[in-house]
Amino acid sequence: MAKTVKEVIHASGIDIGIYTSDFINEYISITDIARYKSDDPAAVIQNWMRNRDVIEFLGLWESLHNPDFKHLEFEGFKMKAGANAFTMSPKKWTEATGAIGIVSKAGRYGGTYAHSDIAFEFASWISPEFKLYIIKDYKRLKSEENSRLSRSWNLNRELSKLNYRIHTDAIRDNLIPPELTPAQISHTYAGEADMLNVVMFGKTAKQWREENPDEKGNIRDCATIYQLLVLSNMESYNATLIRQGINQQERMLLLHDVAVQQMKTLSMLNMEQLPGVE
């Protein structure tokens, strides 16, 4: 896996590591889960993977999530699974089939990790009671994470509102001569707001609405935390550029460069600079 963020589930006195490389798919340490059953977790995992039902489950998961899964090799394993002479390990499985649901990780937090779908299945085999402890603390982690994301989103939404005020004041003071009608003034505001929308989202608010007729709110309500943060910075920067007398076409190019650089930086922060990242 690439650079990853680690969290820990606390289940019945055992710490179980979680990794994610994309903040969507989470991989849980089945090595840690196996320690509930034995001091030799590798042997426990291999014993689990010998079962025909497990091989079929792993193959189905890969078929649903992995377009590069090698079905021919999987069928060969499925035919042999469950026999006394059949052996299986995470390394053998991933190397032969190109599987992505189970991964081995070296280093400080090394071990065998499985996608949460698979890890919970493994936990059921280890102990239904222990699985419930894992799920309970996993839900606690997700609840805390959602709360943090909600606070961050709201904070950046408020920053965006404040910068919007700075932005519109700059438009009023520098781009709107007193002889314009109220309708013309409104059009100017909309033009500047949509200019930023085009730079950030690649489309105007109207275009977004036409493409998303069933969505509630507007284009900015559906923005990510990082898009809102960059948009907020862009509004402040655009206000400065307006006061410097730079025309809209030149401002768009300057703002585009800022947006690309800041989104790239935030993406790097995701993977490398959050607490707990290797």
Side-chain angles (χ1 to χ4, degrees):
M1 297 174 72
K3 292 286 185 177
T4 47
V5 176
K6 184 174 186 293
E7 293 183 297
V8 177
I9 294 173
H10 305 286
S12 193
I14 294 178
D15 290 345
I16 301 169
I18 306 176
Y19 275 91
T20 178
S21 60
D22 58 8
F23 295 87
I24 298 173
N25 296 294
E26 294 186 323
Y27 285 72
I28 299 175
S29 173
I30 58 175
T31 296
D32 291 340
I33 294 174
R35 288 195 175 98
Y36 180 82
K37 190 177 184 72
S38 170
D39 292 332
D40 187 1
V44 174
I45 294 169
Q46 290 176 24
N47 192 35
W48 173 66
M49 295 184 73
R50 292 184 66 249
N51 292 283
R52 181 181 177 86
D53 289 346
V54 172
I55 294 298
E56 289 182 344
F57 172 78
L58 294 176
L60 176 59
W61 190 94
E62 295 291 341
S63 297
L64 293 173
H65 299 90
N66 181 7
D68 298 320
F69 183 57
K70 298 175 182 178
H71 292 272
L72 184 61
E73 286 77 2
F74 160 64
E75 290 296 332
F77 286 145
K78 188 170 71 170
M79 292 290 293
K80 300 174 183 177
N84 290 336
F86 180 73
T87 60
M88 182 56 68
S89 68
K91 182 178 180 181
K92 182 178 179 180
W93 170 253
T94 55
E95 288 183 352
T97 65
I100 60 173
I102 295 179
V103 298
S104 296
K105 185 170 178 62
R108 180 182 176 188
Y109 303 110
T112 300
Y113 286 76
H115 189 278
S116 56
D117 297 342
I118 298 170
F120 289 138
E121 189 75 11
F122 176 65
S124 290
W125 181 79
I126 292 290
S127 164
E129 179 183 1
F130 187 49
K131 175 187 176 181
L132 292 177
Y133 283 116
I134 294 172
I135 291 175
K136 180 180 179 181
D137 204 60
Y138 182 77
K139 287 182 176 179
R140 176 191 62 79
L141 277 179
K142 296 299 100 183
S143 177
E144 291 178 356
E145 179 182 287
N146 289 336
S147 178
R148 289 196 302 270
L149 289 173
S150 178
R151 289 196 300 269
S152 297
W153 193 92
N154 287 331
L155 173 60
N156 282 301
R157 186 65 168 156
E158 291 305 313
L159 285 173
S160 181
K161 289 178 181 178
L162 291 172
N163 275 317
Y164 180 77
R165 177 60 184 273
I166 296 172
H167 186 225
T168 53
D169 285 350
I171 295 171
R172 180 197 62 209
D173 296 339
N174 296 273
L175 295 185
I176 304 177
E179 65 272 12
L180 288 180
T181 66
Q184 290 172 319
I185 293 173
S186 176
H187 178 74
T188 303
Y189 278 119
E192 285 297 311
D194 261 344
M195 184 265 287
L196 294 180
N197 288 335
V198 170
V199 172
M200 185 72 253
F201 307 109
K203 61 193 68 177
T204 65
K206 182 180 178 181
Q207 288 171 332
W208 182 89
R209 172 53 56 203
E210 290 173 347
E211 294 173 6
N212 302 274
D214 298 326
E215 290 284 348
K216 295 181 179 179
N218 56 48
I219 188 172
R220 300 190 184 198
D221 290 325
C222 295
T224 66
I225 292 171
Y226 300 112
Q227 286 175 324
L228 286 173
L229 179 58
V230 173
L231 192 59
S232 150
N233 294 337
M234 285 169 55
E235 286 177 333
S236 180
Y237 183 41
N238 192 42
T240 299
L241 296 177
I242 288 172
R243 290 190 171 94
Q244 292 175 355
I246 299 175
N247 66 51
Q248 189 177 79
Q249 185 175 4
E250 292 179 20
R251 282 187 281 114
M252 284 189 74
L253 295 174
L254 292 170
L255 289 165
H256 177 264
D257 290 342
V258 168
V260 169
Q261 184 57 49
Q262 291 193 5
M263 289 299 291
K264 181 179 179 180
T265 299
L266 288 170
S267 175
M268 293 171 64
L269 284 173
N270 266 349
M271 309 306 292
E272 298 175 0
Q273 297 184 18
L274 291 175
V277 179
E278 284 189 351

